[in-house]
Amino acid sequence: MDILDNEMYSSTVKGISVKLLHAIAHSETLDVLCGDIGNAYVNIYTTEKVYAKAGLEFEEKNVGKIIVIQKLLYGLATLCARFHDHLVDTLRSMDFQPTQFNWDVWICHSND
C-alpha cells in the first residue's frame, strides 16, 4: 500500500477535554452545544483510487463494466482522515477555531 500513515490517522477529542470544558462552561454560566454527526461519510469524496465491477444494481447494460468510486466507503484506509479534513473545512467556514490545548476542541465566539 502506498498510502502514508498520516493519511490514515484521524485524531479524536480527549474525554478529559470535554469534561474540563463542561466544568469551565458551568462555572462561567456559558451555554454549551454538543452534538453527534450521523451518516457523515456518504458526502465526502475519497482521495483513494477505488474501482469495482458493476453488478445488476447498475442496470443490465452496465453489468460487468468497471466503475470508479468517488465517494468514501466504509472500510477505506483513508476514511477517518478524509472525514476529519472535511469537518475541519466545515467548522472553519462557520467561524469556529480549534483551541490551542486540543486541536479537536473547537470554539466559536458569540456576540450574544
Side-chain angles (χ1 to χ4, degrees):
M1 184 184 302
D2 62 338
I3 298 172
L4 300 175
D5 286 339
N6 65 344
E7 288 193 14
M8 293 186 279
Y9 175 76
S10 179
S11 59
T12 59
V13 66
K14 294 170 184 61
I16 189 67
S17 297
V18 175
K19 291 175 186 175
L20 286 171
L21 286 171
H22 279 281
I24 293 167
H26 179 73
S27 70
E28 298 292 322
T29 61
L30 298 173
D31 292 330
V32 176
L33 177 64
C34 298
D36 189 16
I37 302 170
N39 299 322
Y41 301 134
V42 297
N43 297 309
I44 303 167
Y45 290 92
T46 182
T47 57
E48 291 182 66
K49 293 182 180 181
V50 182
Y51 303 91
K53 190 179 283 189
L56 293 173
E57 65 272 18
F58 290 94
E59 298 180 5
E60 190 172 327
K61 66 181 180 179
N62 294 318
V63 171
K65 291 182 180 179
I66 302 299
I67 58 173
V68 178
I69 308 296
Q70 295 181 336
K71 298 260 180 140
L72 283 178
L73 297 173
Y74 288 100
L76 290 181
T78 60
L79 174 73
C80 293
R82 292 296 72 78
F83 174 71
H84 192 268
D85 293 344
H86 175 74
L87 183 60
V88 165
D89 291 343
T90 301
L91 289 172
R92 286 189 193 280
S93 74
M94 297 168 61
D95 294 327
F96 280 83
Q97 295 296 318
T99 60
Q100 293 178 355
F101 71 93
N102 187 326
W103 287 54
D104 289 312
V105 174
W106 292 72
I107 60 172
C108 181
H109 297 285
S110 174
N111 293 333
D112 296 339

